[in-house]
Amino acid sequence: MLAAYEQNPEAVGGSLGLSALVSVVPLAVVLVMLGVLRIRAPWAALSGLAAALVVAILGFAMPFGMALSAAAHGAFYGLFPILWIVVNALWVFNMTVATGHFDVLRRSFGALSIDERTQAILVAFCFGGLLEALAGFGAPVAITSVMLVALGFKPMKAAVVALVANTAPVAFGAMGVPVITLAKVTGLPLEQVASMVGRQTPLLALFVPLVLVFLVDGKRGVREAWLPAVVCGVVFAIGQFVTSNFISVELTDIVASLLGAVAVFLLARAQPHAVWAARRPAVAAAGGPGTATQPDSPAEVRKAYAPYVIIVVVFALAQLPGLKPALDSLKLAFHWPFLDVIGTDGKPHSTTSFSLTWLTTAGSLMVIAGIIVALILGVGAWRALAIWGRTVAELRWAILTVAAVLALAYVMNASAQTTAIGLFVAGAGAALAFVSPVLGWLGVAVTGSDTSANALFGSLQVTAAQGAGLPPELLAAANSSGGVLGKMLSPQNLTIAAVAVRLEGQEGVILRKVVGWSLGMLLVLAVLITLQATPVLGWMLP
């Protein structure tokens, strides 16, 4: 039997500073390869993993077999439950595309108003949030920018609006994957982490619709369409806060996005003569269910919205007090083989055990919802399986990237590399609260993924917070909340937006148009989190 590996944050030369410096190497490899050398994300992540293994084995004296086992554990967690959630959520969405009901939903949103400012709120913010909830990984930007162009937006404006809108929902995107990952790598309870993030990102949501209205039509847009923007922002923020804190992490963005859209719809019906509520006389259907000259039937519209209602119902039923304990008891839990790590607190490290409530994990609930959706939309069993297979094929590079990033994070966490960096950074003291969202912002700007940034820096934030005497859940959440504002600057998202609206090669122009908004909102968030670390706004903590 192998002897346990005892973590030592000062393993390199007996110095915390030197150990922290060496520990930065794997992260630097990833960031430089992605941000400077423009290497594709899978290869950058695998290179960072290789660097983490070398540092763990040579710098921190971690046994070779244990280092490999930690990497395997991280990769496995990346597959189950993280990518299990993503694949099945995108599968449900792809079924709506294959049956034409996504087009019906798109037309339904477009028919609510012909005013571009309102369309920006409904399509880019509300529907984009819904797509972020189900798919994430660039899909909202690609789809909503194309929809905006189809509605009459100029390509550059459509790309910028779609990128800026893809902020507030990101932390709870892909059925809560970023927050779920953050909780896992930090060892903090999911409810605690989600609750804290749900007290930060909703404040961003208050402003984003107003920003979109300004981007579309300047000061006049704000003057004429401020009401739907404010109402949507407030309702979305309340929905995001309440759902993340009291109902379900996975349903957060679905509930918030649908409530925001419904609020604007009801407001438009209450003020039908408002300039921002102007409607077309009729909606022409082009392709999908219905004909080229007839509007979509009410039955088809109901079917288009049905998948999202079904998902909410399935997840809500799984949360019922009488049912949840029984479902949660169906658990797969075991000690990860060949990995025996003692943390700095003298207890077995969190990376040594694997646990999965296999039926109530979001990915499995999405399978149940997907089967019901397939029946409602008339998708046969073989066709549904074929769509699932194509979904996996579409995500093959994302699967490799996420697995490699989680493997990297687990190696760094198990070998004490993350602890060394965190303890060193803790020297910043109270200023750490201001800096913490910037670290998440940088991580997402480079990797393009809040999930990846949380895997890379989540544990570091917690260690630094504990060293500086700050609430660990505050800085962990700050990493994810700050990260959402880096999404619009990531090379991947910029490329997706440019390609979607056929502005290839104009990524630099798009970047210049969004960078100011990203930095401005980051400053607001950093000040908010700094105040949350003080008695001024400390009451906001769970």
Side-chain angles (χ1 to χ4, degrees), residues 160-298:
V160 171
V161 167
L163 284 166
V164 174
N166 191 221
T167 49
V170 169
F172 294 100
M175 306 305 292
V177 162
V179 175
I180 292 170
T181 302
L182 181 62
K184 179 63 179 178
V185 299
T186 59
L188 296 173
L190 174 60
E191 295 76 14
Q192 190 178 47
V193 174
S195 178
M196 193 65 245
V197 176
R199 296 165 193 236
Q200 293 171 350
T201 57
L203 294 169
L204 295 175
L206 291 174
F207 302 103
V208 173
L210 273 174
V211 172
L212 299 181
V213 166
F214 179 82
L215 287 171
V216 171
D217 196 27
K219 293 180 180 178
R220 184 182 67 174
V222 174
R223 186 172 61 252
E224 293 182 354
W226 66 268
L227 184 59
V230 170
V231 168
C232 182
V234 169
V235 172
F236 184 99
I238 292 172
Q240 199 175 53
F241 165 73
V242 172
T243 308
S244 63
N245 276 264
F246 306 110
I247 302 175
S248 167
V249 175
E250 295 87 356
L251 290 178
T252 297
D253 279 346
I254 292 179
V255 171
S257 300
L258 290 176
L259 287 179
V262 168
V264 175
F265 174 79
L266 294 177
L267 185 64
R269 294 298 170 268
Q271 297 189 355
H273 301 298
V275 63
W276 55 266
R279 299 175 65 197
R280 292 187 183 92
V283 182
T291 69
T293 57
Q294 295 177 338
D296 298 308
S297 68

Side-chain angles (χ1 to χ4, degrees), residues 271-355:
Q271 297 189 355
H273 301 298
V275 63
W276 55 266
R279 299 175 65 197
R280 292 187 183 92
V283 182
T291 69
T293 57
Q294 295 177 338
D296 298 308
S297 68
E300 291 298 344
V301 173
R302 286 194 295 270
K303 279 188 178 181
Y305 283 92
Y308 311 102
V309 176
I310 290 167
I311 291 169
V312 170
V313 170
V314 168
F315 276 80
L317 289 175
Q319 300 297 319
L320 290 176
L323 189 59
K324 181 174 172 57
L327 296 178
D328 284 345
S329 66
L330 301 173
K331 181 184 294 187
L332 175 65
F334 57 90
H335 180 88
W336 192 261
F338 311 113
L339 191 60
D340 191 4
V341 179
I342 303 300
T344 54
D345 58 0
K347 300 177 181 178
H349 196 259
S350 60
T351 56
T352 60
S353 60
F354 180 85
S355 178

Side-chain angles (χ1 to χ4, degrees), residues 200 432-433 436 461-462 464-465 470-480 529:
Q200 293 171 350
L432 188 61
S436 60
Q461 296 268 23
V462 168
L470 295 171
E473 68 276 9
L474 174 63
L475 296 202
N479 193 82
S480 193
I529 291 167

Side-chain angles (χ1 to χ4, degrees), residues 44 50 62 94 99 106 118 125 174 195 222 241 256 268 276 300 357 369 390 400 414 439 472 490 496 518 520 529 537:
M62 189 175 195
N94 283 343
T99 58
R106 173 178 59 80
T118 307
F125 187 68
S195 178
V222 174
F241 165 73
W276 55 266
E300 291 298 344
T357 50
R390 287 200 299 272
L400 177 57
L439 188 60
S490 70
I496 288 170
S518 176
I529 291 167
L537 291 181

Side-chain angles (χ1 to χ4, degrees), residues 12 69 149 247 249 268 301 324 339 360 383 399 417 477 494 527 542:
V12 183
S69 181
V149 170
I247 302 175
V249 175
V301 173
K324 181 174 172 57
L339 191 60
T360 54
R383 189 183 182 194
I399 290 171
Q417 294 176 57
L494 288 170
V527 171

Side-chain angles (χ1 to χ4, degrees), residues 438 441 485-486 488-489 514-526:
V438 179
W441 173 85
L485 298 173
M488 68 181 82
L489 305 180
V514 300
V515 66
W517 296 106
S518 176
L519 292 173
M521 287 190 279
L522 178 64
L523 177 61
V524 171
L525 182 66

Side-chain angles (χ1 to χ4, degrees), residues 383-475:
R383 189 183 182 194
L385 285 173
I387 294 172
W388 192 89
R390 287 200 299 272
T391 302
V392 173
E394 289 173 11
L395 291 172
R396 61 189 182 279
W397 294 112
I399 290 171
L400 177 57
T401 301
V402 171
V405 167
L406 266 296
L408 161 64
Y410 268 57
V411 171
M412 291 189 66
N413 290 347
S415 63
Q417 294 176 57
T418 302
T419 304
I421 300 173
L423 291 175
F424 185 77
V425 171
L432 188 61
F434 186 86
V435 175
S436 60
V438 179
L439 188 60
W441 173 85
L442 177 64
V444 176
V446 174
T447 67
S449 166
D450 202 35
T451 300
S452 296
N454 286 343
L456 291 174
F457 300 134
S459 184
L460 184 158
Q461 296 268 23
V462 168
T463 303
Q466 292 168 338
L470 295 171
E473 68 276 9
L474 174 63
L475 296 202

